[in-house]
Amino acid sequence: MAMINDTMTTALNDQVRREFQAAQNYLAMATHLDGKSLESLAAFFYRQADEEREHAMKLVQYLLDVGRSPSIPAIECPQADFCGAKEIVEASLAQEQSVTQAIHELVDEALTAKDHSTYQFLLWFVDEQVEEEATFGKLLDIIEMSENVLQVEHYVRHMNTAEAAEGEGGE
Ligand code: FEO
């Protein structure tokens, strides 16, 4: 069994907390949008929340696999009220950028510790962050180019349909 040190274990548990926090933040955004009848944007954010929870659980499972104890964290109350879709997407992009930085610091830590198992495990997250930052960056571009939020809804509806089709094709 791969051995991972205490510092790496603590750092991975910090990441578990960040991923659960991101899940709750996206859930709060989704429910806010749902309450405004922006159903496609809401569906997109519900899916993001689910994905973040999966990321957290991937880390939890890894810690279990290497014989270390995952800690399931308390989560700060997420922001519940927003001025509009643009504020939500800007906050999401900032959150993803901060998660990317945290993941890169974990990779640095794994390299320093010559922890090849954790390094290899983290590469999936490095790729995932490139994808997530790109998704939110594109969404922000669309919001800035749109005349109103209904055009954004239209774009996101297509995005949701394409992702659902991809999901089915990938099963
Ligand atoms: Fe799991 Fe989007 O960070």
Side-chain angles (χ1 to χ4, degrees):
M1 182 184 289
M3 284 298 295
I4 75 167
N5 68 31
D6 290 348
T7 309
M8 195 76 240
T9 302
T10 303
L12 288 170
N13 271 319
D14 283 344
Q15 190 60 28
V16 170
R17 181 183 43 74
R18 279 185 213 100
E19 302 287 351
F20 276 125
Q21 184 70 58
Q24 292 298 85
N25 292 349
Y26 286 143
L27 188 55
M29 291 168 177
T31 52
H32 175 88
L33 291 160
D34 216 350
K36 303 278 180 203
S37 301
L38 296 168
E39 287 172 8
S40 299
L41 274 162
F44 171 81
F45 277 91
Y46 282 127
R47 194 168 66 245
Q48 293 303 316
D50 288 346
E51 283 185 14
E52 297 304 347
R53 190 177 182 282
E54 284 168 18
H55 297 172
M57 290 309 296
K58 217 181 224 306
L59 287 149
V60 166
Q61 190 58 55
Y62 177 73
L63 285 161
L64 289 169
D65 286 348
V66 294
R68 303 307 303 244
S69 301
S71 45
I72 303 304
I75 298 299
E76 282 174 33
C77 192
Q79 181 179 343
D81 208 15
F82 301 91
C83 290
K86 188 173 180 204
E87 186 193 353
I88 288 178
V89 174
E90 280 173 343
S92 302
L93 181 57
Q95 172 169 274
E96 292 302 338
Q97 286 165 341
S98 133
V99 168
T100 299
Q101 193 184 333
I103 294 287
H104 289 187
E105 284 167 13
L106 283 170
V107 171
D108 289 344
E109 180 71 40
L111 285 171
T112 304
K114 295 187 167 42
D115 180 344
H116 298 165
S117 309
T118 304
Y119 171 75
Q120 184 61 36
F121 167 74
L122 288 170
L123 293 182
W124 182 89
F125 285 86
V126 172
D127 287 344
E128 179 71 7
Q129 284 311 117
V130 172
E131 204 177 290
E132 298 210 323
E133 280 196 37
T135 301
F136 281 109
K138 207 180 288 178
L139 193 49
L140 191 54
D141 286 344
I142 297 296
I143 286 179
E144 282 170 353
M145 285 186 288
S146 299
E147 285 165 18
N148 60 56
V149 75
L150 292 179
Q151 287 182 346
V152 180
E153 269 283 283
H154 186 71
Y155 171 83
V156 174
R157 191 171 313 127
H158 280 289
M159 217 166 86
N160 290 346
T161 310
E163 270 209 27
E166 205 174 289
E168 280 167 23
E171 292 298 306

